[in-house]
Amino acid sequence: MDPQRDFQVFWSERAPRERRILTIGAIFLVLLALYLLLVGPAVAGIDRLQRLLPQSLNQAAELEALVAEAKHLRGLAPAAAPGAADARSAVGTALETAGLQASRNTPQANGDLHLTFTNVPYSRWATWLAGVEKNLGVHTSAVTVKASATPGNADIELSLRLPHA
């Protein structure tokens, strides 16, 4: 059984009109298979990418804007960095403005400032701390918070790293 010989016998038994119809049908099937395997998926992929392109361009523009903003912010000078003595007085002024009173205010040898608060409203203290960290450039290096007998109040020990000139 030789497949090539069988095909030749099959083909020679066909009339010329039948051969032409079979040839056209085979060409049609080959073209259909090529379309379904190669062209169809490519066209669908192109359509999908064309739909996603505007969204991708918008995301790229947003990303570029964020990068530009980050570069701009990086180039800005840090928040006012006063000397240690100025920073201590600025912290004191901020305490007075917030209506807080430190029961102990001790400058440390390394330039830090150690503060102790007794029975202060925690929410007011937290707001004050966030403000001085943001506006004065101080950093909290250690905090101990204990609830006091008054609801919403706390006893707090805090060490602030002051900016150095």
Side-chain angles (χ1 to χ4, degrees), residues 3-19 22:
Q4 185 177 2
R5 180 131 173 88
D6 291 341
F7 178 74
Q8 286 175 348
V9 170
F10 170 79
W11 194 252
S12 65
E13 292 175 349
R14 304 291 156 234
R17 183 171 186 258
E18 197 176 353
R19 285 185 209 161
L22 288 174

Side-chain angles (χ1 to χ4, degrees), residues 37-91:
L37 294 173
L38 301 176
V39 177
V43 169
I46 289 170
D47 287 343
R48 183 177 53 83
L49 290 174
Q50 285 178 339
R51 283 192 312 270
L52 293 176
L53 182 62
Q55 180 184 4
S56 297
L57 290 175
N58 287 341
Q59 290 174 342
E62 288 176 15
L63 184 59
E64 286 177 11
L66 288 173
V67 167
E69 183 180 355
K71 286 180 182 178
H72 171 72
L73 291 175
R74 188 180 302 152
L76 293 177
D86 293 339
R88 275 194 293 276
S89 66
V91 168

Side-chain angles (χ1 to χ4, degrees), residues 47-134:
D47 287 343
R48 183 177 53 83
L49 290 174
Q50 285 178 339
R51 283 192 312 270
L52 293 176
L53 182 62
Q55 180 184 4
S56 297
L57 290 175
N58 287 341
Q59 290 174 342
E62 288 176 15
L63 184 59
E64 286 177 11
L66 288 173
V67 167
E69 183 180 355
K71 286 180 182 178
H72 171 72
L73 291 175
R74 188 180 302 152
L76 293 177
D86 293 339
R88 275 194 293 276
S89 66
V91 168
T93 302
L95 280 170
E96 289 175 20
T97 302
L100 294 172
Q101 177 75 31
S103 57
R104 202 169 90 212
N105 183 338
T106 311
Q108 303 293 306
N110 63 359
D112 287 1
L113 185 61
H114 186 81
L115 301 169
T116 303
F117 298 90
T118 306
N119 199 28
V120 295
Y122 181 80
S123 60
R124 189 183 315 161
W125 172 83
T127 303
W128 166 81
L129 181 61
V132 296
E133 284 183 337
K134 179 181 177 187

